[in-house]
């Protein structure tokens, strides 16, 4: 398994501001993903973080709103830009060593936008 | 869109009883994973079952997979209060898509 940490664990932000969430893995992994979980809902995939290239976004998510970086095989960031109360969610990163392998999740970042 | 659909959406049982949750999906899969989430915290991976497997066990958990019916079930035997959580199935190889989940509540 992989040990995944996220920072911050939670934050309360004002609308119009941006927050960058960090995801650190204890070993090199091929695949990293970012998910959003709105209150009382299931997880929705935001994007696949690609090492050394632009992230691949799912329908309904755009780079201007959720810029993602992945400078190496153990680290990624997700920025939630120009936040509104609708962005209040738990944001989770996940990793897998390869296609078809078990996917592990970080503890999540609970974001509240006022 | 979501691939898996769990059934029931919510389930309450007495401690000690068995809990069964079902997951149906729409397209062919190579594997299916089950996760648990306690009170909006991070997800805990429970079991991965591959398309050529019909049943898999882990402790008190038993997962079955019927690819002809495009369905899977998660059985928790001898339930405990600590099993109270949301359970999700997820399918996909390079990226996984989650179902809506089943909220399980174990009554004392």
């Amino acid at each position: 398994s992989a040990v995944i940490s996220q920072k911050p664990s939670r934050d309360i932000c004002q609308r119009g501001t941006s927050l960058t969430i960090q995801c650190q893995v204890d070993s090199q992994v091929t695949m990293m993903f970012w998910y959003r979980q709105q209150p009382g809902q299931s997880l929705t995939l935001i994007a696949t973080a690609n090492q050394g290239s632009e992230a691949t976004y799912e329908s309904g998510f755009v780079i201007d709103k959720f810029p993602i970086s992945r400078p190496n095989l153990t680290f990624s960031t997700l920025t939630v830009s120009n936040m509104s109360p609708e962005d209040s969610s738990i944001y989770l990163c996940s990793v897998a060593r390869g296609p078809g392998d078990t996917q592990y999740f970080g503890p999540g970042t609970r974001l509240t936008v006022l | 869109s979501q691939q898996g659909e769990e059934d029931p959406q919510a389930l309450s049982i007495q401690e000690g009883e068995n809990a069964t949750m079902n997951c149906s999906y729409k397209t062919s899969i190579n594997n299916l994973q089950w996760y648990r989430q306690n009170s909006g915290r991070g997800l805990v991976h429970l079991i991965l079952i591959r398309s050529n497997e019909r049943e898999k066990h882990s402790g008190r958990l038993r997962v079955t997979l019927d690819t002809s019916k495009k369905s899977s079930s998660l059985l928790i035997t001898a339930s405990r209060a600590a099993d109270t959580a949301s359970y999700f199935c997820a399918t996909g190889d390079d990226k996984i898509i989650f179902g809506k989940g089943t909220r399980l509540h174990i009554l004392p």
Side-chain angles (χ1 to χ4, degrees):
Chain A
S1 63
V3 177
I4 306 165
S5 60
Q6 285 185 234
K7 291 181 182 180
S9 60
R10 59 177 61 224
D11 207 342
I12 300 174
C13 302
Q14 297 296 319
R15 72 168 64 217
T17 63
S18 298
L19 176 71
T20 295
I21 303 168
Q22 299 180 2
C23 177
Q24 180 75 53
V25 191
D26 67 341
S27 58
Q28 293 187 346
V29 291
T30 302
M31 311 174 81
M32 294 183 79
F33 307 91
W34 286 97
Y35 287 81
R36 179 177 74 183
Q37 187 177 30
Q38 295 176 303
Q41 302 296 314
S42 183
L43 283 76
T44 301
L45 180 63
I46 297 172
T48 301
N50 300 309
Q51 193 263 329
S53 64
E54 191 171 290
T56 304
Y57 291 84
E58 297 300 306
S59 176
F61 297 96
V62 295
I63 187 172
D64 290 346
K65 176 67 176 178
F66 297 101
I68 289 170
S69 79
R70 188 177 174 193
N72 56 51
L73 293 177
T74 64
F75 185 79
S76 178
T77 67
L78 168 75
T79 299
V80 186
S81 303
N82 188 24
M83 290 183 285
S84 66
E86 291 71 35
D87 294 319
S88 297
S89 295
I90 299 174
Y91 292 86
L92 302 103
C93 72
S94 70
V95 305
R97 299 204 184 282
D101 288 344
T102 298
Q103 193 162 330
Y104 298 99
F105 283 79
T109 296
R110 185 180 293 271
L111 171 62
T112 302
V113 184
L114 302 177
Chain B
S1 61
Q2 288 172 317
Q3 163 77 306
E5 290 288 337
E6 288 89 342
D7 169 57
Q9 293 186 0
L11 178 62
S12 293
I13 61 171
Q14 294 294 138
E15 190 169 12
E17 293 181 341
N18 297 340
T20 299
M21 288 157 274
N22 301 298
C23 169
S24 60
Y25 55 91
K26 298 175 182 175
T27 61
S28 296
I29 60 169
N30 291 319
N31 61 66
L32 184 145
Q33 304 185 64
W34 283 92
Y35 290 86
R36 184 185 73 225
Q37 185 179 39
N38 294 82
S39 300
R41 297 180 184 174
L43 271 73
V44 174
H45 184 266
L46 298 176
I47 287 182
L48 181 152
I49 187 166
R50 302 202 183 276
S51 60
N52 61 353
E53 298 175 306
R54 291 296 169 260
E55 189 171 307
K56 208 163 181 179
H57 296 253
S58 177
R60 294 183 296 113
L61 306 181
R62 185 184 78 151
V63 168
T64 63
L65 179 63
D66 187 336
T67 54
S68 67
K69 295 181 179 179
K70 291 187 171 58
S71 68
S72 174
S73 68
L74 170 66
L75 169 67
I76 303 174
T77 60
S79 63
R80 306 168 181 169
D83 295 328
T84 294
S86 292
Y87 292 81
F88 298 92
C89 67
T91 58
D93 290 332
D94 53 349
K95 58 183 181 182
I96 65 174
I97 305 299
F98 283 79
K100 293 183 179 179
T102 293
R103 296 186 307 279
L104 175 64
H105 185 56
I106 307 301
L107 304 169

